[in-house]
Amino acid sequence: MPRPRRSALFMPGSNARALDKARGIACDTILFDLEDSVAAGQKALARDQVAAAIRAGGYGSRELVVRVNPLGGALVADDIRMAVAAGADAVLLPKTESAADVMAVEQALAEAGAPAAMGIFAMVETPRAILAVAAIAARAEAGRLRALAVGPNDLAKMTGVRAGGDRAPMLAWLSQVVLAAKAYGLSALDGVYNNFNDEAGFAAECRQGRALGFDGKTLIHPRQVEPANALFGASEEELEWARQVVAAFDQPGNATANVINLDGRMVERLHLEQARALLASVA
């Protein structure tokens, strides 16, 4: 089972106060940002502050991921070496456009001495990335790729799409990302919602993202964490159904059955696997 990634909160590496505050925020994943939210003149400062914050600890069970600068630039190699040395759980590669990009990060991690458990998240935020998303996701078979994260702002900018409140022009692209992720056992993270004061709009987009199959959402503000956790988490009704499915298959007469009748509903053994996974995710 992949670890829960309902809420993945971006924290600017240049903001020491924000890095400290993140220790008390109940997100599943912290995305220490060295890229978009950091001004050019503060890149080295941000790298040093993120390294110090990760080494200092205090983040509990949260997954610690460093968003490095893009491949091809002068900063990314030092970013990756820092993430490895500091003990981050993964690096997040922006502007991923091909399987070769993921392979380049795999090589950089290996050269920096990264442990086998250290992973890669890939941002899918350009037209080329959407066209190549299946090949990108297939790098999961090499062992380090953990998640795909959508970047809708860049997609809209580069395509000229006017997504609107329902994101209708982007739905096919979003579904491609989810399908590729699930084909290779990866987490799929929906993109950020820019207006953190619009609680109703954020909740609606979370519901849409979950309906599309996303496992969680990247966030830009701490106040988005609690609703994301709730809307991408399992409801009590879903948990109770999972318990009933497990209990039904545990009955002696159903031990070898592939299909059973549970309160008038046909339940297959694949639903048992899903039920056990759901219960394990909240254990």
Side-chain angles (χ1 to χ4, degrees):
M1 271 291 296
R3 64 190 299 168
R5 296 182 175 113
R6 302 163 299 173
S7 50
L9 178 63
F10 279 109
M11 281 290 174
S14 54
N15 187 333
R17 182 180 177 186
L19 301 182
D20 181 61
K21 182 179 179 181
R23 293 184 171 90
I25 299 173
C27 54
D28 291 332
T29 301
I30 298 174
L31 303 174
F32 297 98
D33 191 21
L34 303 179
E35 193 216 10
D36 278 350
S37 66
V38 178
Q42 293 186 306
K43 296 288 188 178
L45 169 67
R47 187 188 301 123
D48 291 344
Q49 290 188 163
V50 168
I54 295 174
R55 288 193 179 103
Y59 292 100
S61 62
R62 296 168 188 82
E63 185 176 31
L64 307 182
V65 180
V66 177
R67 178 160 73 169
V68 300
N69 284 282
L71 289 174
L75 300 169
V76 63
D78 287 341
D79 293 345
I80 290 174
R81 282 192 288 267
M82 177 277 288
V84 173
D89 295 309
V91 294
L92 170 60
L93 179 67
K95 309 298 188 294
T96 310
E97 293 194 322
S98 67
D101 288 347
V102 181
M103 293 171 67
V105 179
E106 292 167 354
Q107 180 64 29
L109 288 172
E111 291 174 354
M118 189 170 182
I120 298 170
F121 288 27
M123 291 287 299
V124 180
E125 51 187 339
T126 69
R128 286 180 180 268
I130 294 295
L131 293 175
V133 69
I136 292 169
R139 287 305 302 170
E141 295 178 339
R144 287 201 187 269
L145 193 60
R146 302 283 184 269
L148 302 181
V150 175
N153 289 335
D154 284 280
L155 278 170
K157 178 181 177 180
M158 296 181 72
T159 61
V161 159
R162 297 180 181 179
D166 61 1
R167 301 194 291 182
M170 283 189 177
L171 293 181
W173 305 341
L174 298 176
S175 292
Q176 280 184 259
V177 174
V178 171
L179 192 62
K182 299 309 173 71
Y184 292 97
L186 301 172
S187 295
L189 301 180
D190 199 359
V192 299
Y193 189 81
N194 297 320
N195 186 355
F196 55 82
N197 289 315
D198 181 7
E199 296 178 3
F202 177 73
E205 192 164 288
C206 285
R207 293 188 189 97
Q208 182 194 55
R210 183 166 184 187
L212 288 169
F214 283 102
D215 300 292
K217 196 163 182 65
T218 53
L219 312 174
I220 59 170
H221 197 281
R223 73 175 62 166
Q224 296 176 323
V225 170
E226 184 177 352
N229 285 344
L231 292 165
F232 282 98
S235 67
E236 184 53 41
E237 291 79 6
E238 290 169 323
L239 292 172
E240 180 56 29
W241 174 250
R243 296 185 193 104
Q244 292 177 19
V245 170
V246 171
F249 274 102
D250 281 346
Q251 295 178 12
N254 296 330
T256 60
N258 286 325
V259 181
I260 63 173
N261 183 335
L262 179 57
D263 296 332
R265 293 179 61 178
M266 195 69 71
V267 179
E268 301 180 41
R269 190 159 288 274
L270 67 90
H271 297 122
L272 173 62
E273 297 171 4
Q274 293 171 345
R276 284 175 172 163
L278 179 61
L279 295 173
S281 73
V282 297

